[in-house]
């Protein structure tokens, strides 16, 4: 992928904003990244509990904290900012509604860098330990075909919108 594509998809807030522009559903919350504790606390107060704070540059579960009550929020937010700074050089975070027991389903895409993108089907990655995949199974055996086709079309739309070049995962 190009440097611009890596920057786009390496930033949770920017990639989420692109998905929203394409009418792809995303989790509700504070989409504009910030390091301002007061602003982030204000966003958390407007969300139903639990919610999750995520470092925008994070990966592998680093810079993520689940907030189950408003009393925990200041410490959790400060911890995510600190870990984002130390692990990725970027302390900005977003806040989202926390999905307990979600499915982690991925779609492989292949793009030519000029807007031509195809999907290479789906894989189940829900079996995780500390936000890291333990087992990947392809194809996903337990989703309806309508959902599968929707996931494929969303992945291809993101690839096309970013002029994706190479093989990647959505």
């Amino acid at each position: 992928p190009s440097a611009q594509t890596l920057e786009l998809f390496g930033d949770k807030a920017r990639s989420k904003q692109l998905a929203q522009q394409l009418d792809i559903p995303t989790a509700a919350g504070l989409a504009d990244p910030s390091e301002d504790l007061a602003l982030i606390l204000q966003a958390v107060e407007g969300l139903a509990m639990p919610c999750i704070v995520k470092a925008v540059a994070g990966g592998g579960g680093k810079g993520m904290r689940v907030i189950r009550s408003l009393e925990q929020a200041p410490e959790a937010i400060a911890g995510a900012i600190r870990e984002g700074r130390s692990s990725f050089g970027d302390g900005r975070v977003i806040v989202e509604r926390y999905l307990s027991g979600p499915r982690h389903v991925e779609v492989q895409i292949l793009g030519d860098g000029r807007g031509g993108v195809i999907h290479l089907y789906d894989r189940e990655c829900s079996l995780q330990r500390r936000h890291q995949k333990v087992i990947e199974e392809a194809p996903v055996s337990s989703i309806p075909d309508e959902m599968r086709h929707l996931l494929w079309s969303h992945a291809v739309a993101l690839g096309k919108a970013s002029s994706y070049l190479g093989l990647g995962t959505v």
Side-chain angles (χ1 to χ4, degrees):
S2 69
Q4 294 87 352
T5 301
L6 290 173
E7 285 179 24
L8 169 65
F9 290 117
D11 183 315
K12 287 179 181 67
R14 287 185 58 210
S15 56
K16 183 174 182 171
Q17 290 163 357
L18 175 60
Q20 291 169 338
Q21 290 168 9
L22 297 171
D23 292 325
I24 297 172
T26 63
L30 173 68
D32 292 326
S34 179
E35 287 185 72
D36 182 334
L37 185 59
L39 178 69
I40 300 163
L41 278 169
Q42 184 179 11
V44 167
E45 288 171 2
L47 290 175
M49 293 294 140
C51 62
I52 187 166
V53 59
K54 298 179 180 180
V56 296
K62 290 185 183 273
M64 291 174 53
R65 301 286 191 286
V66 176
I67 301 171
R68 299 192 186 281
S69 69
L70 289 176
E71 294 76 32
Q72 311 181 292
E75 183 180 327
I77 294 165
I81 291 170
R82 230 180 2 263
E83 192 166 14
R85 283 181 188 150
S86 67
S87 297
F88 309 108
D90 186 346
R92 296 173 305 137
V93 299
I94 59 172
V95 180
E96 295 178 334
R97 180 174 58 105
Y98 179 67
L99 305 173
S100 58
R103 299 281 301 281
H104 182 130
V105 176
E106 299 178 347
V107 176
Q108 290 279 180
I109 59 171
L110 182 62
D112 65 8
R114 297 183 307 268
V117 178
I118 62 171
H119 69 82
L120 300 174
Y121 307 100
D122 48 83
R123 64 184 180 208
E124 172 76 64
C125 304
S126 294
L127 184 57
Q128 297 189 7
R129 182 173 185 265
R130 295 187 187 148
H131 306 289
Q132 292 290 306
K133 293 175 266 186
V134 175
I135 294 175
E136 295 181 9
E137 177 187 4
V140 179
S141 61
S142 58
I143 59 173
D145 282 342
E146 183 178 317
M147 176 62 72
R148 182 183 318 278
H149 291 279
L150 189 60
L151 290 171
W152 293 346
S153 68
H154 287 182
V156 168
L158 283 166
K160 287 181 176 184
S162 65
S163 298
Y164 199 86
L165 174 63
L167 182 63
T169 304
V170 177

